[in-house]
mmCIF file of all heavy atoms in Angstrom:
data_model
loop_
_atom_site.group_PDB
_atom_site.id
_atom_site.type_symbol
_atom_site.label_atom_id
_atom_site.label_comp_id
_atom_site.label_asym_id
_atom_site.label_seq_id
_atom_site.Cartn_x
_atom_site.Cartn_y
_atom_site.Cartn_z
ATOM 1 N N HIS A 297 -15.235 20.044 -26.678
ATOM 2 C CA HIS A 297 -14.332 20.536 -25.631
ATOM 3 C C HIS A 297 -14.572 19.738 -24.338
ATOM 4 O O HIS A 297 -13.625 19.303 -23.679
ATOM 5 C CB HIS A 297 -14.583 22.028 -25.420
ATOM 6 C CG HIS A 297 -14.000 22.605 -24.174
ATOM 7 N ND1 HIS A 297 -12.784 23.261 -24.154
ATOM 8 C CD2 HIS A 297 -14.445 22.599 -22.891
ATOM 9 C CE1 HIS A 297 -12.530 23.637 -22.900
ATOM 10 N NE2 HIS A 297 -13.513 23.248 -22.120
ATOM 11 N N HIS A 301 -12.076 17.074 -21.895
ATOM 12 C CA HIS A 301 -11.794 16.972 -20.453
ATOM 13 C C HIS A 301 -11.899 15.521 -19.987
ATOM 14 O O HIS A 301 -11.116 15.075 -19.148
ATOM 15 C CB HIS A 301 -12.811 17.797 -19.644
ATOM 16 C CG HIS A 301 -12.542 19.276 -19.636
ATOM 17 N ND1 HIS A 301 -11.319 19.814 -19.267
ATOM 18 C CD2 HIS A 301 -13.349 20.325 -19.928
ATOM 19 C CE1 HIS A 301 -11.407 21.144 -19.343
ATOM 20 N NE2 HIS A 301 -12.602 21.475 -19.736
ATOM 21 N N PHE A 348 -11.082 24.155 -14.205
ATOM 22 C CA PHE A 348 -9.901 23.322 -14.444
ATOM 23 C C PHE A 348 -8.718 24.278 -14.570
ATOM 24 O O PHE A 348 -8.894 25.492 -14.670
ATOM 25 C CB PHE A 348 -10.082 22.550 -15.759
ATOM 26 C CG PHE A 348 -11.077 21.428 -15.703
ATOM 27 C CD1 PHE A 348 -12.275 21.507 -16.397
ATOM 28 C CD2 PHE A 348 -10.814 20.282 -14.970
ATOM 29 C CE1 PHE A 348 -13.187 20.465 -16.361
ATOM 30 C CE2 PHE A 348 -11.727 19.238 -14.934
ATOM 31 C CZ PHE A 348 -12.910 19.327 -15.626
ATOM 32 N N GLU A 353 -7.737 23.533 -19.768
ATOM 33 C CA GLU A 353 -8.679 24.179 -20.696
ATOM 34 C C GLU A 353 -8.115 24.233 -22.110
ATOM 35 O O GLU A 353 -8.809 23.950 -23.080
ATOM 36 C CB GLU A 353 -9.037 25.589 -20.222
ATOM 37 C CG GLU A 353 -9.866 25.633 -18.948
ATOM 38 C CD GLU A 353 -11.165 24.845 -19.039
ATOM 39 O OE1 GLU A 353 -11.607 24.490 -20.134
ATOM 40 O OE2 GLU A 353 -11.733 24.553 -17.975
ATOM 41 N N GLU A 394 -17.997 27.088 -17.566
ATOM 42 C CA GLU A 394 -17.284 26.418 -16.495
ATOM 43 C C GLU A 394 -16.751 27.419 -15.482
ATOM 44 O O GLU A 394 -15.614 27.351 -15.040
ATOM 45 C CB GLU A 394 -16.125 25.588 -17.056
ATOM 46 C CG GLU A 394 -16.634 24.464 -17.928
ATOM 47 C CD GLU A 394 -15.564 23.931 -18.829
ATOM 48 O OE1 GLU A 394 -14.544 24.600 -18.986
ATOM 49 O OE2 GLU A 394 -15.766 22.839 -19.360
HETATM 50 ZN ZN1 ZN B 44 -13.320 23.294 -20.131
#
Side-chain angles (χ1 to χ4, degrees):
H297 166 97
H301 282 307
F348 287 112
E353 292 304 344
E394 295 162 344

